[in-house]
Amino acid sequence: MTPSDSNSKSYEPNTDELRHVLSSLIVSSTPNKAHSDGGKLADSRASSLAASLSSEGKILVEKRSTDGESSMINRYLQDFRDDNHNASASFLTGTTEFNAFIASTGGKKQNEQEFAKLISLITAHLEEKGIADNKFVHSGSRILRSRGGPPGEEMSYSRFGLKPDFFTTKVKFDSSTGTYAPVSLSTLLHPVEAGPPNTPKILPDDALPGPTTGSRNPLSSTGAPMVLTSNGLFAWDDVHTLWEIKSGVQTAASNHKAWANIILKAVEVMRYQSHRVFVIGFLLCGTQLRMFRFDRSCVLVSQPVDVKKLPGEDSSVLVRCILADLVTQYSLRGFAEGSDNPTLVEVDGKLRQVVQVGGKDFILGDQIVWPVEGRLSGRATTVHLACEIGDPEWDYCHKSSWPYEIRQHEGPILEELQDIGGVVDVIAWGSADSTIRSEDILSTYQPYKPPRSQVSQWTSTTTSELKRPSTATGPVGYATQSPSTTELHMRQHRQTVTKYIPRSIADLTQPIRLLQAWRSLCDVIEQIAKRKWVHRDLSWNNIRVCDGDSKSLSVVLIDFDLAAPTERPMTGAPDKTGTPAFMPIEALVCNNFLHQELHEHEGAFWVVFFTAIRASDEGSNMLRNIVLKPGLGLDFVGTQKVSMLSGPAKRNNWSQWICGSSGDDDKEWEVVRNVFLSIANLLLTPQCDYDYTKLYERPMHLQKHQQVLEETKVLLDQAIAALG
């Protein structure tokens, strides 16, 4: 749901006196201890993210122009080329507020105060023209949280004190009480709690249930606030555009810490606005302005523009950007349109989202999967329970994700495999049109190669355990080689509705049920392989369990976003895919990797192996700290997995790891340990060095695949019989 575009109006320049008696920017809260304690952690996380994106060629800077202007910023401002907009920008650029901001080269606080005064003047100008839906918000000392995050999650890096300097958002003003409140999809789905005692309550735009409140920040003599301060009502869910204001000590080209932090803040916006197509950000260092465009494929960065120009030159670019941010259509600020834009309906007294997938309408229930923290480039998968309109049962689940555009949509793959019992039933699927092509980007932008000093600055703030060789790729880590200039894989928003299966294989704790699930998984892998497909993302989340009687149990595979054909041309998308903990060792530690059928069996081994380990306290702690800990490099995880299969680990640790909870029958777990030992020797022998390269010739690989499959099924059948 995007905010209304009714405020995108033309307006006339106002030559009347607009200046109000402005007070200094008021901060309505006390400093947050999480911010002061967590600043270094936030810098470390931001630096690691920026370094990783840079090494992968996913930060691209606009090519230099001869006139010193930015075509990226000019394209953003193309709606401000008519006479009315030019006159307004020219008038506002000539004000004392603009000149005072340009002259404020002191500390950060002075910069923010003068910027707030300039915004107040521009906002007052728009309000006189009837354009008042959007406002700038100053975070002050208030960190931002989220209203709809995972249960129990410490929201939005609150431990890091993460917040933008300023951001724009849509608000609702109640003139009778003088209060403001945010208006977004989030405020409707998660009503804002009442504010301070005796604060008047107001309703969102369409007077839907869920009172919201706002506090008054008198920045003008009229009492109408022009810049709001965050008083705990605003969240990452509400942010439209990010604004970072820095002092003139460093330029927009060299303030590397600011680059990294604005990227991390954009990640938070997209994490909690799953339908957001992209996010715009502005970094203003002194008089140097850069524009950023963030999506789930890459970061585009403009050339720096000096907003202070010589007499006779156009110096209105800053004012134009502020105006554009307040009045431009919401689609130009990255909000989805058409069928990709959810609407709302009331179900049993509660507002619910309605999405259209494949021409069908579905109501979304509770969210059960959230995007991974700290990832800009990724699938950003979210999953909600779902049902069709008129159906009271939540029998379906709706998945929204952003896979590589060149990969085939999972919908047709699921349809092709529907007659296989272990493949989830697909109900509907669809995708959005792309907004930008990689060819267009590479013709205008070039991958950013940070200078040695910046590489040192970014990498020096990361912890040593996150470092890994430059040849490795993955969610965290960095490399210092030049990024690729020839490949940029864009991501596409896709939706899939499937049958909902609540139980995961990770929920199994009884030895016999775990082995039954593994045996069923072997059959599913075999049937999918016969159709010339590999899943490539076997994990706890993607292997669901359907209980039968005491002698049977079946599994169902979901999430075929990363599935690939085995005997058809590859798409060209990066092939190192999956959840690191469950990926084959070869995929984690080797450079040239092609996922084939045999790797599916190793993936299944790790899923079941870690499920068994997870059942014991010692094993669960080990997994949390060594394999499942967020942010570990791929080669680090691969090395740890190799060590788990070493002789000493098998002799000294397996009996403590694979033993179930206190009081379980160790004889049953001994059977499980023996199965793991036999299948590990079958799959992962020292002679093979965990590298199937010599098996890449299809006849040899298929022969080994069939051998492993048959011997695994025999071993599992024997163990199940022994436990039964």
Side-chain angles (χ1 to χ4, degrees):
M1 174 182 172
T2 59
S4 169
D5 287 340
S6 61
N7 62 342
S8 293
K9 304 174 183 178
S10 299
Y11 48 90
E12 302 285 344
N14 181 10
T15 56
D16 297 336
E17 181 66 45
L18 289 177
R19 301 182 187 90
H20 301 290
V21 179
L22 300 175
S23 63
S24 296
L25 189 65
I26 295 175
V27 177
S28 59
S29 59
T30 57
N32 189 297
K33 188 175 186 297
H35 174 55
S36 59
D37 291 346
K40 291 184 179 180
L41 290 173
D43 290 345
S44 175
R45 180 65 64 90
S47 296
S48 179
L49 173 62
S52 177
L53 291 170
S54 175
S55 71
E56 296 167 9
K58 293 177 180 176
I59 300 179
L60 298 103
V61 179
E62 182 182 24
K63 295 177 181 178
R64 292 187 180 276
S65 64
T66 57
D67 57 7
E69 294 190 356
S70 164
S71 59
M72 179 179 178
I73 293 178
N74 286 338
R75 284 193 299 272
Y76 179 69
L77 299 178
Q78 62 187 352
D79 288 342
F80 292 84
R81 295 302 179 192
D82 61 42
D83 292 340
N84 288 336
H85 297 150
N86 285 334
S88 293
S90 298
F91 164 72
L92 292 165
T93 302
T95 60
T96 56
E97 285 77 11
F98 178 81
N99 293 328
F101 172 71
I102 294 298
S104 63
T105 57
K108 176 180 173 65
K109 184 176 181 180
Q110 181 184 358
N111 280 97
E112 291 188 0
Q113 289 175 343
E114 297 299 336
F115 186 70
K117 293 177 183 180
L118 175 60
I119 295 169
S120 296
L121 183 68
I122 295 172
T123 306
H125 177 76
L126 294 178
E127 287 195 347
E128 290 201 353
K129 305 303 175 186
I131 305 172
D133 285 348
N134 298 318
K135 283 287 190 293
F136 271 80
V137 178
H138 176 246
S139 296
S141 58
R142 283 277 191 171
I143 60 174
L144 286 192
R145 300 179 182 272
S146 172
R147 299 185 192 94
E153 179 186 71
E154 191 172 2
M155 302 297 185
S156 307
Y157 295 108
S158 60
R159 60 196 180 279
F160 299 143
L162 194 67
K163 57 185 176 61
D165 289 341
F166 291 85
F167 59 91
T168 54
T169 187
K170 185 177 181 181
V171 297
K172 178 70 175 181
F173 178 63
D174 187 336
S175 58
S176 64
T177 61
T179 58
Y180 280 83
V183 178
S184 66
L185 176 63
S186 173
T187 61
L188 299 175
L189 295 174
H190 309 283
V192 180
E193 295 180 0
N198 304 320
T199 300
K201 297 179 180 179
I202 63 173
L203 290 176
D205 259 350
D206 11 27
L208 292 168
T212 59
T213 65
S215 62
R216 188 166 175 168
N217 181 13
L219 285 178
S220 74
S221 59
T222 64
M226 301 305 164
V227 177
L228 306 177
T229 54
S230 180
N231 55 359
L233 297 180
F234 296 96
W236 292 107
D237 317 51
D238 309 320
V239 173
H240 290 190
T241 302
L242 297 165
W243 284 82
E244 294 295 301
I245 313 300
K246 308 303 176 188
S247 67
V249 177
Q250 289 181 303
T251 68
S254 62
N255 197 329
H256 314 135
K257 179 179 175 182
W259 279 46
N261 276 278
I262 195 173
I263 291 172
L264 185 58
K265 292 166 188 177
V267 168
E268 287 299 274
V269 175
M270 290 191 289
R271 174 167 160 76
Y272 295 109
Q273 299 182 33
S274 60
H275 283 79
R276 192 75 180 265
V277 181
F278 60 87
V279 174
I280 296 294
F282 290 95
L283 172 60
L284 189 58
C285 296
T287 62
Q288 295 284 309
L289 177 70
R290 277 192 191 263
M291 177 180 172
F292 292 73
R293 182 190 186 276
F294 311 92
D295 63 23
R296 294 170 179 84
S297 304
C298 61
V299 181
L300 302 182
V301 188
S302 76
Q303 283 293 327
V305 174
D306 192 345
V307 299
K308 178 185 179 182
K309 300 220 176 162
L310 296 175
E313 294 183 314
D314 181 10
S315 59
S316 63
V317 61
L318 174 60
V319 173
R320 291 175 186 274
C321 289
I322 295 172
L323 287 170
D325 196 7
L326 292 171
V327 306
T328 299
Q329 291 182 357
Y330 287 91
S331 61
L332 300 179
R333 283 181 256 169
F335 289 92
E337 289 186 299
S339 61
D340 223 33
N341 180 23
T343 56
L344 293 176
V345 67
E346 187 173 305
V347 179
D348 296 330
K350 184 175 182 179
L351 288 177
R352 298 285 191 181
Q353 296 181 73
V354 177
V355 295
Q356 188 175 92
V357 184
K360 300 178 182 178
D361 288 335
F362 295 91
I363 300 173
L364 301 189
D366 294 339
Q367 187 168 349
I368 54 178
V369 174
W370 282 260
V372 177
E373 276 190 328
R375 296 276 309 264
L376 177 74
S377 176
R379 288 194 292 159
T381 301
T382 61
V383 180
H384 290 77
L385 299 180
C387 67
E388 294 187 77
I389 294 178
D391 185 351
E393 301 297 328
W394 302 103
D395 292 333
Y396 305 145
C397 63
H398 167 271
K399 183 179 76 172
S400 166
S401 63
W402 297 78
Y404 287 120
E405 186 177 22
I406 57 177
R407 285 203 173 117
Q408 185 174 350
H409 196 300
E410 70 169 333
I413 301 173
L414 289 171
E415 289 179 344
E416 181 181 336
L417 303 177
Q418 280 299 277
D419 60 332
I420 297 176
V423 173
V424 69
D425 294 340
V426 60
I427 310 301
W429 57 275
S431 59
D433 294 333
S434 299
T435 59
I436 189 170
R437 299 187 309 163
S438 60
E439 296 86 353
D440 297 333
I441 292 177
L442 292 175
S443 67
T444 312
Y445 299 82
Q446 56 191 1
Y448 176 59
K449 183 179 179 181
R452 186 177 300 275
S453 60
Q454 182 166 345
V455 172
S456 175
Q457 180 181 358
W458 275 350
T459 58
S460 65
T461 55
T462 59
T463 58
S464 59
E465 71 178 31
L466 299 183
K467 297 181 181 179
R468 53 185 172 80
S470 62
T471 53
T473 59
V476 175
Y478 48 83
T480 56
Q481 80 274 20
S482 299
S484 168
T485 59
T486 58
E487 288 188 337
L488 177 63
H489 299 289
M490 305 306 294
R491 295 182 179 273
Q492 182 185 45
H493 185 216
R494 295 175 177 175
Q495 301 179 83
T496 309
V497 179
T498 60
K499 183 178 179 181
Y500 174 53
I501 304 172
R503 289 194 73 196
S504 160
I505 191 172
D507 298 329
L508 300 178
T509 57
Q510 295 179 325
I512 188 169
R513 305 303 268 174
L514 192 58
L515 297 183
Q516 288 172 339
W518 195 356
R519 180 62 177 83
S520 174
L521 183 57
C522 287
D523 290 337
V524 178
I525 291 173
E526 180 182 19
Q527 293 303 312
I528 293 175
K530 288 180 179 179
R531 300 292 185 86
K532 314 300 183 186
W533 286 96
V534 283
H535 185 279
R536 301 203 306 175
D537 193 15
L538 298 179
S539 67
W540 284 339
N541 284 337
N542 294 340
I543 303 174
R544 317 306 291 182
V545 174
C546 299
D547 284 321
D549 55 32
S550 60
K551 296 184 179 181
S552 67
L553 182 147
S554 60
V555 300
V556 175
L557 293 188
I558 65 171
D559 191 359
F560 280 68
D561 268 349
L562 303 181
T566 56
E567 295 186 357
R568 280 173 271 182
M570 301 299 290
T571 62
D575 198 56
K576 287 199 173 189
T577 59
T579 306
F582 310 110
M583 288 169 62
I585 292 175
E586 184 187 358
L588 297 169
V589 302
C590 297
N591 296 329
N592 300 316
F593 173 71
L594 178 66
H595 194 114
Q596 299 191 73
E597 293 91 341
L598 195 54
H599 298 105
E600 297 285 270
H601 294 294
E602 187 185 338
F605 170 86
W606 289 115
V607 170
V608 181
F609 185 65
F610 288 155
T611 303
I613 290 177
R614 185 171 180 253
S616 69
D617 292 338
E618 184 171 338
S620 179
N621 291 333
M622 182 274 297
L623 287 180
R624 244 188 339 264
N625 295 322
I626 296 180
V627 178
L628 301 177
K629 185 177 180 180
L632 298 177
L634 298 186
D635 65 327
F636 178 84
V637 175
T639 301
Q640 294 301 314
K641 290 168 73 170
V642 169
S643 68
M644 290 180 189
L645 301 179
S646 66
K650 292 173 182 175
R651 291 190 298 271
N652 302 325
N653 301 112
W654 279 30
S655 59
Q656 282 75 44
W657 292 346
I658 308 170
C659 59
S661 59
S662 174
D664 284 352
D665 186 350
D666 190 60
K667 291 183 179 179
E668 292 189 353
W669 286 107
E670 184 178 1
V671 172
V672 175
R673 289 194 294 270
N674 289 334
V675 171
F676 285 136
L677 181 63
S678 299
I679 295 179
N681 290 336
L682 178 66
L683 267 173
L684 305 161
T685 63
Q687 292 79 11
C688 191
D689 196 28
Y690 312 106
D691 189 342
Y692 305 137
T693 302
K694 58 189 176 183
L695 300 173
Y696 276 172
E697 294 183 8
R698 289 297 292 166
M700 295 179 63
H701 182 95
L702 291 175
Q703 181 180 356
K704 178 68 174 178
H705 156 66
Q706 197 61 37
Q707 174 196 348
V708 169
L709 174 66
E710 295 303 325
E711 293 190 32
T712 298
K713 290 197 291 187
V714 169
L715 288 168
L716 290 173
D717 286 339
Q718 292 173 346
I720 292 169
L723 293 174

